[in-house]
mmCIF file of all heavy atoms in Angstrom:
data_model
loop_
_atom_site.group_PDB
_atom_site.id
_atom_site.type_symbol
_atom_site.label_atom_id
_atom_site.label_comp_id
_atom_site.label_asym_id
_atom_site.label_seq_id
_atom_site.Cartn_x
_atom_site.Cartn_y
_atom_site.Cartn_z
ATOM 1 N N GLU A 1 -3.004 34.610 -37.149
ATOM 2 C CA GLU A 1 -2.320 33.696 -36.240
ATOM 3 C C GLU A 1 -0.904 34.254 -35.996
ATOM 4 O O GLU A 1 -0.315 34.029 -34.874
ATOM 5 C CB GLU A 1 -2.341 32.262 -36.815
ATOM 6 C CG GLU A 1 -3.555 31.587 -36.692
ATOM 7 C CD GLU A 1 -3.648 30.273 -37.399
ATOM 8 O OE1 GLU A 1 -2.965 30.133 -38.451
ATOM 9 O OE2 GLU A 1 -4.406 29.408 -36.910
ATOM 10 N N LYS A 2 -0.189 34.794 -37.001
ATOM 11 C CA LYS A 2 1.150 35.296 -36.803
ATOM 12 C C LYS A 2 1.291 36.355 -35.841
ATOM 13 O O LYS A 2 2.281 36.523 -35.197
ATOM 14 C CB LYS A 2 1.624 35.772 -38.104
ATOM 15 C CG LYS A 2 1.991 34.655 -39.173
ATOM 16 C CD LYS A 2 2.443 35.283 -40.445
ATOM 17 C CE LYS A 2 2.752 34.160 -41.474
ATOM 18 N NZ LYS A 2 3.153 34.705 -42.760
ATOM 19 N N GLN A 3 0.125 37.047 -35.538
ATOM 20 C CA GLN A 3 0.193 38.111 -34.461
ATOM 21 C C GLN A 3 0.228 37.556 -33.005
ATOM 22 O O GLN A 3 0.477 38.316 -32.118
ATOM 23 C CB GLN A 3 -1.028 39.044 -34.626
ATOM 24 C CG GLN A 3 -1.149 39.657 -36.093
ATOM 25 C CD GLN A 3 0.115 40.455 -36.532
ATOM 26 O OE1 GLN A 3 0.616 41.226 -35.694
ATOM 27 N NE2 GLN A 3 0.606 40.158 -37.698
ATOM 28 N N VAL A 4 -0.135 36.224 -32.942
ATOM 29 C CA VAL A 4 -0.308 35.604 -31.517
ATOM 30 C C VAL A 4 1.122 35.091 -31.207
ATOM 31 O O VAL A 4 1.601 34.207 -31.946
ATOM 32 C CB VAL A 4 -1.395 34.516 -31.550
ATOM 33 C CG1 VAL A 4 -1.394 33.900 -30.221
ATOM 34 C CG2 VAL A 4 -2.712 35.189 -31.995
ATOM 35 N N LYS A 5 1.665 35.533 -30.137
ATOM 36 C CA LYS A 5 2.955 34.899 -29.679
ATOM 37 C C LYS A 5 2.773 34.097 -28.507
ATOM 38 O O LYS A 5 2.089 34.384 -27.474
ATOM 39 C CB LYS A 5 3.871 36.119 -29.220
ATOM 40 C CG LYS A 5 4.405 37.054 -30.401
ATOM 41 C CD LYS A 5 5.396 38.006 -29.883
ATOM 42 C CE LYS A 5 6.043 38.741 -30.978
ATOM 43 N NZ LYS A 5 7.162 39.666 -30.552
ATOM 44 N N ARG A 6 3.280 32.910 -28.606
ATOM 45 C CA ARG A 6 3.296 31.893 -27.551
ATOM 46 C C ARG A 6 4.716 31.253 -27.378
ATOM 47 O O ARG A 6 5.358 31.019 -28.470
ATOM 48 C CB ARG A 6 2.263 30.837 -27.816
ATOM 49 C CG ARG A 6 0.788 31.407 -27.691
ATOM 50 C CD ARG A 6 -0.233 30.360 -28.183
ATOM 51 N NE ARG A 6 -0.225 30.142 -29.578
ATOM 52 C CZ ARG A 6 -0.911 29.305 -30.186
ATOM 53 N NH1 ARG A 6 -2.003 28.689 -29.576
ATOM 54 N NH2 ARG A 6 -0.918 29.185 -31.532
ATOM 55 N N ALA A 7 5.044 30.794 -26.287
ATOM 56 C CA ALA A 7 6.329 30.192 -26.088
ATOM 57 C C ALA A 7 6.197 28.689 -26.382
ATOM 58 O O ALA A 7 5.153 28.137 -26.156
ATOM 59 C CB ALA A 7 6.825 30.313 -24.607
ATOM 60 N N THR A 8 7.223 28.113 -26.933
ATOM 61 C CA THR A 8 7.107 26.684 -27.258
ATOM 62 C C THR A 8 6.995 25.831 -25.979
ATOM 63 O O THR A 8 6.168 24.847 -25.951
ATOM 64 C CB THR A 8 8.436 26.246 -27.929
ATOM 65 O OG1 THR A 8 9.600 26.637 -27.196
ATOM 66 C CG2 THR A 8 8.526 26.807 -29.396
ATOM 67 N N ARG A 9 7.471 26.348 -24.780
ATOM 68 C CA ARG A 9 7.222 25.626 -23.558
ATOM 69 C C ARG A 9 5.860 25.528 -23.136
ATOM 70 O O ARG A 9 5.331 24.534 -22.412
ATOM 71 C CB ARG A 9 8.059 26.270 -22.392
ATOM 72 C CG ARG A 9 7.659 27.652 -22.070
ATOM 73 C CD ARG A 9 8.304 28.145 -20.787
ATOM 74 N NE ARG A 9 7.966 29.525 -20.582
ATOM 75 C CZ ARG A 9 7.997 30.104 -19.358
ATOM 76 N NH1 ARG A 9 8.084 29.394 -18.379
ATOM 77 N NH2 ARG A 9 7.622 31.398 -19.265
ATOM 78 N N ALA A 10 5.072 26.503 -23.606
ATOM 79 C CA ALA A 10 3.590 26.664 -23.266
ATOM 80 C C ALA A 10 2.828 25.360 -23.793
ATOM 81 O O ALA A 10 1.773 25.041 -23.349
ATOM 82 C CB ALA A 10 3.003 27.823 -23.671
ATOM 83 N N ALA A 11 3.400 24.717 -24.717
ATOM 84 C CA ALA A 11 2.779 23.507 -25.400
ATOM 85 C C ALA A 11 2.925 22.301 -24.624
ATOM 86 O O ALA A 11 2.105 21.380 -24.821
ATOM 87 C CB ALA A 11 3.266 23.270 -26.794
ATOM 88 N N TYR A 12 3.861 22.248 -23.642
ATOM 89 C CA TYR A 12 4.297 21.024 -23.049
ATOM 90 C C TYR A 12 3.166 20.341 -22.126
ATOM 91 O O TYR A 12 2.695 19.223 -22.488
ATOM 92 C CB TYR A 12 5.439 21.247 -22.249
ATOM 93 C CG TYR A 12 6.271 20.050 -21.747
ATOM 94 C CD1 TYR A 12 6.197 18.833 -22.487
ATOM 95 C CD2 TYR A 12 7.240 20.201 -20.785
ATOM 96 C CE1 TYR A 12 6.885 17.748 -22.050
ATOM 97 C CE2 TYR A 12 7.929 19.023 -20.424
ATOM 98 C CZ TYR A 12 7.881 17.791 -21.059
ATOM 99 O OH TYR A 12 8.569 16.760 -20.703
ATOM 100 N N GLY A 13 2.771 21.022 -21.148
ATOM 101 C CA GLY A 13 1.878 20.410 -20.173
ATOM 102 C C GLY A 13 0.532 20.162 -20.807
ATOM 103 O O GLY A 13 -0.125 18.964 -20.667
ATOM 104 N N VAL A 14 0.025 20.986 -21.607
ATOM 105 C CA VAL A 14 -1.299 20.799 -22.203
ATOM 106 C C VAL A 14 -1.329 19.526 -23.230
ATOM 107 O O VAL A 14 -2.280 18.886 -23.294
ATOM 108 C CB VAL A 14 -1.824 22.107 -22.779
ATOM 109 C CG1 VAL A 14 -2.133 23.204 -21.859
ATOM 110 C CG2 VAL A 14 -0.908 22.538 -24.018
ATOM 111 N N THR A 15 -0.168 19.458 -23.874
ATOM 112 C CA THR A 15 -0.113 18.381 -24.867
ATOM 113 C C THR A 15 -0.036 17.089 -24.187
ATOM 114 O O THR A 15 -0.614 15.963 -24.625
ATOM 115 C CB THR A 15 1.030 18.581 -25.846
ATOM 116 O OG1 THR A 15 0.958 19.852 -26.424
ATOM 117 C CG2 THR A 15 1.004 17.553 -26.910
ATOM 118 N N LEU A 16 0.747 16.968 -23.099
ATOM 119 C CA LEU A 16 0.795 15.770 -22.286
ATOM 120 C C LEU A 16 -0.563 15.352 -21.818
ATOM 121 O O LEU A 16 -0.884 14.184 -21.808
ATOM 122 C CB LEU A 16 1.821 15.953 -21.128
ATOM 123 C CG LEU A 16 3.278 16.042 -21.420
ATOM 124 C CD1 LEU A 16 4.048 16.188 -20.201
ATOM 125 C CD2 LEU A 16 3.776 14.759 -22.203
ATOM 126 N N ALA A 17 -1.348 16.383 -21.394
ATOM 127 C CA ALA A 17 -2.711 16.067 -20.776
ATOM 128 C C ALA A 17 -3.529 15.454 -21.883
ATOM 129 O O ALA A 17 -4.345 14.621 -21.691
ATOM 130 C CB ALA A 17 -3.375 17.331 -20.301
ATOM 131 N N GLU A 18 -3.378 15.958 -23.199
ATOM 132 C CA GLU A 18 -4.213 15.502 -24.295
ATOM 133 C C GLU A 18 -3.790 14.014 -24.636
ATOM 134 O O GLU A 18 -4.661 13.177 -24.884
ATOM 135 C CB GLU A 18 -3.996 16.389 -25.540
ATOM 136 C CG GLU A 18 -4.674 17.661 -25.477
ATOM 137 C CD GLU A 18 -4.359 18.555 -26.629
ATOM 138 O OE1 GLU A 18 -3.635 18.118 -27.455
ATOM 139 O OE2 GLU A 18 -4.914 19.747 -26.632
ATOM 140 N N LEU A 19 -2.569 13.798 -24.616
ATOM 141 C CA LEU A 19 -1.923 12.404 -24.898
ATOM 142 C C LEU A 19 -2.520 11.464 -23.862
ATOM 143 O O LEU A 19 -2.927 10.339 -24.138
ATOM 144 C CB LEU A 19 -0.462 12.437 -24.924
ATOM 145 C CG LEU A 19 0.128 13.063 -26.132
ATOM 146 C CD1 LEU A 19 1.609 13.389 -25.857
ATOM 147 C CD2 LEU A 19 -0.119 12.489 -27.414
ATOM 148 N N ALA A 20 -2.556 11.926 -22.591
ATOM 149 C CA ALA A 20 -3.050 11.080 -21.515
ATOM 150 C C ALA A 20 -4.510 10.808 -21.748
ATOM 151 O O ALA A 20 -5.074 9.641 -21.538
ATOM 152 C CB ALA A 20 -2.821 11.673 -20.093
ATOM 153 N N ALA A 21 -5.297 11.817 -22.098
ATOM 154 C CA ALA A 21 -6.710 11.684 -22.261
ATOM 155 C C ALA A 21 -6.988 10.662 -23.475
ATOM 156 O O ALA A 21 -8.060 9.992 -23.539
ATOM 157 C CB ALA A 21 -7.352 13.038 -22.469
ATOM 158 N N GLU A 22 -6.071 10.531 -24.326
ATOM 159 C CA GLU A 22 -6.248 9.709 -25.527
ATOM 160 C C GLU A 22 -5.814 8.290 -25.278
ATOM 161 O O GLU A 22 -5.963 7.418 -26.064
ATOM 162 C CB GLU A 22 -5.377 10.180 -26.736
ATOM 163 C CG GLU A 22 -5.903 11.501 -27.235
ATOM 164 C CD GLU A 22 -4.834 12.262 -28.167
ATOM 165 O OE1 GLU A 22 -3.923 11.555 -28.619
ATOM 166 O OE2 GLU A 22 -5.141 13.432 -28.468
ATOM 167 N N GLY A 23 -5.350 8.045 -23.893
ATOM 168 C CA GLY A 23 -5.062 6.680 -23.520
ATOM 169 C C GLY A 23 -3.590 6.372 -23.542
ATOM 170 O O GLY A 23 -3.220 5.131 -23.207
ATOM 171 N N LEU A 24 -2.772 7.226 -23.948
ATOM 172 C CA LEU A 24 -1.266 6.951 -23.894
ATOM 173 C C LEU A 24 -0.763 6.981 -22.436
ATOM 174 O O LEU A 24 -1.139 7.815 -21.680
ATOM 175 C CB LEU A 24 -0.478 7.935 -24.742
ATOM 176 C CG LEU A 24 -0.471 7.628 -26.284
ATOM 177 C CD1 LEU A 24 -1.742 7.796 -26.888
ATOM 178 C CD2 LEU A 24 0.645 8.524 -26.904
ATOM 179 N N PRO A 25 0.205 5.993 -22.143
ATOM 180 C CA PRO A 25 0.696 5.900 -20.762
ATOM 181 C C PRO A 25 1.755 6.872 -20.467
ATOM 182 O O PRO A 25 2.818 6.497 -19.964
ATOM 183 C CB PRO A 25 1.129 4.503 -20.695
ATOM 184 C CG PRO A 25 1.623 4.178 -22.006
ATOM 185 C CD PRO A 25 0.638 4.832 -22.963
ATOM 186 N N VAL A 26 1.498 8.192 -20.733
ATOM 187 C CA VAL A 26 2.469 9.188 -20.435
ATOM 188 C C VAL A 26 2.635 9.593 -19.008
ATOM 189 O O VAL A 26 1.651 9.601 -18.225
ATOM 190 C CB VAL A 26 2.232 10.442 -21.236
ATOM 191 C CG1 VAL A 26 2.363 10.181 -22.755
ATOM 192 C CG2 VAL A 26 0.890 11.120 -20.922
ATOM 193 N N VAL A 27 3.792 9.848 -18.556
ATOM 194 C CA VAL A 27 4.080 10.373 -17.229
ATOM 195 C C VAL A 27 5.128 11.477 -17.424
ATOM 196 O O VAL A 27 5.777 11.581 -18.452
ATOM 197 C CB VAL A 27 4.670 9.341 -16.345
ATOM 198 C CG1 VAL A 27 3.672 8.198 -16.013
ATOM 199 C CG2 VAL A 27 5.964 8.802 -16.838
#
């Protein structure tokens, strides 16, 4: 896993989508 590089910003949109799918009223 340490060999995989990802930006912290890459987590933003996908995590918001997951939260929305879980029923949270995120915008």
